[in-house]
Amino acid sequence: MSKFSEWFHKILEEAEIIDTRYPIKGMHVWLPEGFKIRKHTLKILKEILDQDHEEVLFPLLIPEDELAKEAIHVKGFEDEVYWVTHGGLTELNKKLALRPTSETAIYPMYSLWVRSHSDLPFKYYQVVNTFRYETKHTRPLIRVREITTFKEAHTVHADKEDAEKQVNEAVRIYKTFFDELGVPYVVTTRPEWDKFPGADYTVAFDTLLPDGKTLQIGTVHNLGQTFAKTFDITYETESGEHEYVYQTCYGLSDRIIASIIGVHGDEKGLCLPPAVAPLQVVIVPIIFKEGKEEVLSFCKDLEEKLKNQGNIRAYLDDRDIRAGKKFYEWEMRGVPLRIEVGPRDIQNGEMVVFSRYNLNKETVKFDSEKLVQDINNLLDDITGKMADKSWKSLNKNIRSVKSTDEALEQIKGNKGIISFNWCGESECGKDMEEKLRVDLLGVQYSSKEDEICANCGKPARKITLMAKTY
Ligand code: A5A
Ligand code: MG
Ligand code: ZN
């Protein structure tokens, strides 16, 4: 296990995010703290999607014949499908799959729903659990067999341009979402051999974890007309002809929580962005014999004010234990801001504020009129600084190379992401993956100049990224 893996497992347990002891491999239990982070994260995501998507909910089970209809799609998932074969003691005459993803559950219904050009576009999403019998090493939140938090959007369009526009729109949506979490990413078009089964092309988001390996945290697929033809999804044009639709789908998973934890955490434990932190502010009274009551009542007022006026998730920790012990615990749990108040502070009109992300402690004057506003500003400031910090760390770890030898050196020494010119040929790309024992993430963009491929020397105009991946 890498140092990061060890850290990750330990923090999931210590901070009570999930319990990994459930007796099925790859399936875990969300604990209250983890569930709160998940809830706040989903709230942000839904607020963005709800602007022009509708939320729906499809059944978990997919009949075998529907799942099998789209040949390329089913080929991509056949090793990973869990099957329901019995109802009680009766063997089912048609096996039912636990959805590994929901194209084949949703599209037969789309075939019924889409009638006229005036129905389009359609933008639906659902947040559900999906099941994949993963054969690669399972890891909590990162590679699970029950994906408990699978957000999948499925859109339908009258023409190709509109579907392409939706792909860009989905990329913009995911950027907005990850930006709110301060999770940095690279966006690439996956190579042919790594696209979603059944898609024309796949655009993927990857982030970098502290051990130098990337994690795919979201994907946007242009499905073209493949599924439309398989599931007979057509619409009537203005002139009365029947045309196949164009489709896109895009998905996120529990990995969004893994990336929040992995990207921001440090040796003291979790470090949560205010937007998803179960507690945003913890107040720790610094108590001496003298003035105890005054301090406690001041802190109680402060808690009420932050909660009621500021809508801030604040908590007064007035347990009868050492302040140092409280600090340790809340730092480990990743509370973004801690306020410490002692008797002298009250006299001086001051308080001590501690920022979790940079471990910085400072004494600030407070003005009770502006206090709520000041704390809200501080939280916003923390959000921005956490994002800056994580983006810096990602950008520092993208290294441009001119040759495979140079790439090998960089991968060995620094890990992280390698950027290079690639000819775009599958054979050459796979050759590089093998030689360097990395994955080609995909093409980031075309270079302006004609360059040569870092591997084979042929002409290349594609700036491409590769890395060791989860
Ligand atoms: N229907 C489309 C959206 C789809 O299923 N796409 S996908 O297969 O790429 O999955 C969407 C996202 O789920 C991926 O980008 C990846 O971040 C995540 N994911 C895939 N398999 C996972 C697993 N076993 N555990 C956790 N997350 C997973
Ligand atoms: Mg691969
Ligand atoms: Zn090449």
Side-chain angles (χ1 to χ4, degrees), residues 450-461:
D450 270 328
E451 300 273 357
I452 57 164
C453 175
N455 190 40
C456 71
K458 284 195 199 142
R461 298 191 71 161

Side-chain angles (χ1 to χ4, degrees), residues 279-461:
L279 293 178
Q280 297 166 312
V281 176
V282 63
I283 303 160
V284 179
I286 307 299
I287 291 172
F288 302 92
K289 268 204 203 94
E290 201 114 327
K292 177 176 171 184
E293 287 317 312
E294 195 193 355
V295 169
L296 279 176
S297 104
F298 180 92
C299 288
K300 192 76 209 147
D301 282 351
L302 179 58
E303 182 195 22
E304 291 302 314
K305 229 185 198 165
L306 293 178
K307 277 163 96 167
N308 300 335
Q309 293 173 28
N311 226 349
I312 293 169
R313 295 189 289 274
Y315 175 70
L316 166 61
D317 185 357
D318 58 2
R319 287 176 299 170
D320 193 15
I321 55 173
R322 279 188 309 111
K325 203 159 186 282
K326 298 179 186 177
F327 295 174
Y328 173 85
E329 182 177 333
W330 296 119
E331 284 169 21
M332 182 274 291
R333 290 184 184 277
V335 180
L337 194 66
R338 179 172 80 225
I339 300 177
E340 303 164 23
V341 183
R344 189 117 52 83
D345 298 317
I346 299 177
Q347 279 162 22
N348 298 342
E350 289 172 354
M351 53 179 57
V352 172
V353 293
F354 170 86
S355 291
R356 173 65 183 83
Y357 84 96
N358 62 359
L359 308 176
N360 196 24
K361 209 166 174 166
E362 57 181 332
T363 304
V364 297
K365 288 268 170 213
F366 70 87
D367 165 351
S368 34
E369 293 296 298
K370 301 209 292 70
L371 185 67
V372 171
Q373 187 56 49
D374 286 347
I375 298 295
N376 261 321
N377 290 345
L378 260 177
L379 289 172
D380 285 345
D381 188 55
I382 288 173
T383 299
K385 298 270 175 52
M386 284 179 70
D388 289 348
K389 185 179 169 195
S390 62
W391 271 103
K392 258 195 207 123
S393 149
L394 172 68
N395 288 329
K396 197 176 79 202
N397 284 295
I398 302 177
R399 301 183 179 85
S400 158
V401 300
K402 291 266 177 255
S403 68
T404 13
D405 284 346
E406 204 184 322
L408 204 53
E409 277 312 298
Q410 291 293 355
I411 296 269
K412 258 198 287 184
N414 302 300
K415 309 230 179 69
I417 299 171
I418 299 297
S419 148
F420 63 102
N421 290 300
W422 177 42
C423 61
E425 307 276 341
S426 289
E427 209 175 297
C428 170
K430 285 184 184 169
D431 176 56
M432 246 184 307
E433 282 191 333
E434 223 166 88
K435 272 201 276 202
L436 303 171
R437 310 180 83 237
V438 293
D439 283 312
L440 198 147
L441 300 179
V443 173
Q444 206 172 22
Y445 42 75
S446 291
S447 61
K448 285 193 198 76
E449 308 285 316
D450 270 328
E451 300 273 357
I452 57 164
C453 175
N455 190 40
C456 71
K458 284 195 199 142
R461 298 191 71 161

Side-chain angles (χ1 to χ4, degrees), residues 78-247:
E78 68 186 354
D79 294 346
E80 296 182 7
V81 177
Y82 283 88
W83 290 102
V84 175
T85 58
H86 286 74
L89 299 179
T90 311
E91 190 171 342
L92 301 176
N93 49 27
K94 195 190 279 183
K95 284 198 294 181
L96 303 170
L98 300 190
R99 60 183 161 218
T101 168
S102 303
E103 285 72 15
T104 58
I106 295 176
Y107 300 168
M109 299 308 290
Y110 276 9
S111 166
L112 301 174
W113 296 344
V114 178
R115 283 281 152 263
S116 141
H117 61 92
S118 61
D119 298 333
L120 301 176
F122 243 67
K123 300 180 194 181
Y124 286 177
Y125 78 92
Q126 63 176 2
V127 181
V128 294
N129 54 351
T130 57
F131 294 81
R132 296 183 182 183
Y133 187 74
E134 294 279 358
T135 47
K136 271 175 124 180
H137 187 55
T138 59
R139 294 168 194 278
L141 300 179
I142 289 178
R143 179 166 285 104
V144 286
R145 288 182 170 175
E146 178 184 7
I147 308 176
T148 64
T149 316
F150 193 71
K151 191 288 295 171
E152 49 181 328
H154 294 268
T155 71
V156 186
H157 308 267
D159 54 58
K160 196 174 171 176
E161 292 67 45
D162 205 39
E164 240 148 47
K165 247 174 54 197
Q166 190 60 34
V167 168
N168 294 332
E169 173 61 9
V171 169
R172 190 198 59 79
I173 287 172
Y174 284 177
K175 282 184 175 172
T176 307
F177 173 63
F178 287 120
D179 287 347
E180 289 200 31
L181 305 173
V183 170
Y185 45 79
V186 291
V187 181
T188 57
T189 305
R190 283 279 186 263
E192 277 299 307
W193 64 90
D194 201 21
K195 63 186 192 185
F196 183 68
D200 282 2
Y201 63 88
T202 290
V203 178
F205 283 68
D206 295 277
T207 195
L208 185 65
L209 292 179
D211 57 355
K213 288 207 255 177
T214 60
L215 177 67
Q216 174 183 300
I217 48 173
T219 33
V220 181
H221 314 292
N222 191 332
L223 302 177
Q225 292 184 304
T226 302
F227 288 91
K229 288 178 178 162
T230 306
F231 289 95
D232 194 29
I233 312 174
T234 61
Y235 68 99
E236 195 174 318
T237 65
E238 269 170 272
S239 53
E241 280 148 295
H242 288 267
E243 299 273 3
Y244 286 113
V245 299
Y246 291 80
Q247 293 177 275

